[in-house]
Amino acid sequence: MKHAISWFEIPTQDLDRAQRCYETIFEFQMIPMEFPGFKMRLFPIDDPMESIGGALVQTEPGFYNPSQTHGPLIYLNGNPDVQLFLDRVEAAGGTVSVPKTKISDEHGYMGIFIDSEGNRIALHCI
């Protein structure tokens, strides 16, 4: 097993708003994918066979529930500096809940924000 994670989905209530939020914070373009009753905005990746992929997802009410306190905490790549991303969170419609924090010399830095949909999302950089 090369990676423990192969895919992740971040729930949304308003997919367009969430897409603007993440595109603003990370300064990239998400890739739309839609199926009947199921809409996604994929995070861009270089090589699908070598990278971990994920998406913002909107589907029928109750299937996914955004949460600031429940469920897993996803750490997204915050390299080269978590602060670069945290500085864009408020303009993107989110709030910073844990500022840039040093984990250790060996493990780098982390920070946590609440996205436009109410999800708790972490950033990590070494």
Side-chain angles (χ1 to χ4, degrees):
M1 177 184 321
K2 191 168 188 171
H3 301 287
I5 297 172
S6 64
W7 182 258
F8 63 89
E9 294 178 352
I10 299 173
T12 70
Q13 294 176 19
D14 183 325
L15 186 60
D16 294 330
R17 177 180 63 202
Q19 179 179 353
R20 285 189 305 274
C21 176
Y22 282 83
E23 288 180 342
T24 299
I25 293 169
F26 291 98
E27 295 183 331
F28 58 42
Q29 296 295 307
M30 301 192 85
I31 303 151
M33 180 179 285
E34 299 191 14
F35 304 98
F38 199 81
K39 298 177 184 178
M40 305 174 94
R41 297 298 180 264
L42 307 177
F43 285 82
I45 56 175
D46 294 329
D47 182 349
M49 299 305 291
E50 296 293 324
S51 300
I52 296 168
L56 301 173
V57 181
Q58 184 174 345
T59 188
E60 69 224 30
F63 189 78
Y64 291 109
N65 295 302
S67 177
Q68 295 182 29
T69 58
H70 293 81
L73 178 59
I74 299 169
Y75 281 77
L76 299 178
N77 187 340
N79 284 309
D81 184 351
V82 166
Q83 193 62 50
L84 296 172
F85 302 99
L86 291 174
D87 287 345
R88 296 192 285 255
V89 167
E90 287 188 21
T95 58
V96 174
S97 60
V98 177
K100 180 180 177 180
T101 303
K102 185 173 185 174
I103 301 166
S104 70
D105 289 338
E106 180 183 12
H107 294 101
Y109 294 84
M110 58 82 65
I112 299 175
F113 67 94
I114 308 303
D115 72 9
S116 63
E117 306 305 292
N119 294 298
R120 177 182 57 150
I121 303 293
L123 298 164
H124 175 255
C125 72
I126 295 181

